[in-house]
Amino acid sequence: MKHLSEFTAADLAELAGADVARALAEDVASGDLTAALVDPSRRAHARILAREPAVICGAPWVEAAVLACDPKARLTWHVAEGQRCVADQVVLEITGNAQALLTAERTALNFLQLLSGTATRCRHFADIVAGL
């Protein structure tokens, strides 16, 4: 097993892809009924906002979820991995096929919320002990 410092961006993308594949298989294995209600040719633009101050974490998992559903989707990060954001700040914008974005949404947000929550809490405790 590699030490954390030895992981490359490609390693993280591979891990994220495997995690996302399992999550999507569990979530929409038999198809996404909600997304099926949308015109398959329709495009959509989505913005992900932070509800409260946070440290953003999980970009490889969000990207893997979105691109697994729409390989042509465009993601524009406004807050980089590991950076802090404030409440109501746009973290990410995504443009792509509307059905695909609806299918990817739950999985992408679940990873982003879980990993950002963990990173935010870790940063809080690291700030408390900084300089000791």
Side-chain angles (χ1 to χ4, degrees), residues 11-63:
D11 293 330
L12 285 178
E14 184 179 334
L15 288 170
D19 290 341
V20 163
R22 285 189 298 274
L24 286 172
E26 179 182 320
D27 190 36
V28 292
S30 60
D32 187 341
L33 297 177
T34 303
L37 298 172
V38 176
D39 178 350
S41 65
R42 185 169 181 179
R43 306 272 302 155
H45 181 81
R47 290 182 305 159
I48 296 176
L49 301 165
R51 295 269 185 212
E52 58 190 48
V55 174
I56 296 303
C57 183
W61 284 263
V62 172
E63 292 172 7

Side-chain angles (χ1 to χ4, degrees), residues 2 16 18 31 37 41 46-49 55 63 70 92-93 102 104 110 115 124 126:
K2 289 185 178 184
L37 298 172
S41 65
R47 290 182 305 159
I48 296 176
L49 301 165
V55 174
E63 292 172 7
D70 180 2
L92 169 65
E93 291 186 77
L102 285 171
N110 284 344
L115 296 170
H124 169 75

Side-chain angles (χ1 to χ4, degrees), residues 93-115:
E93 291 186 77
I94 308 167
T95 301
N97 176 273
Q99 282 187 338
L101 296 186
L102 285 171
T103 299
E105 175 188 21
R106 274 186 305 277
T107 298
L109 289 177
N110 284 344
F111 280 115
L112 186 63
Q113 290 171 342
L114 174 67
L115 296 170

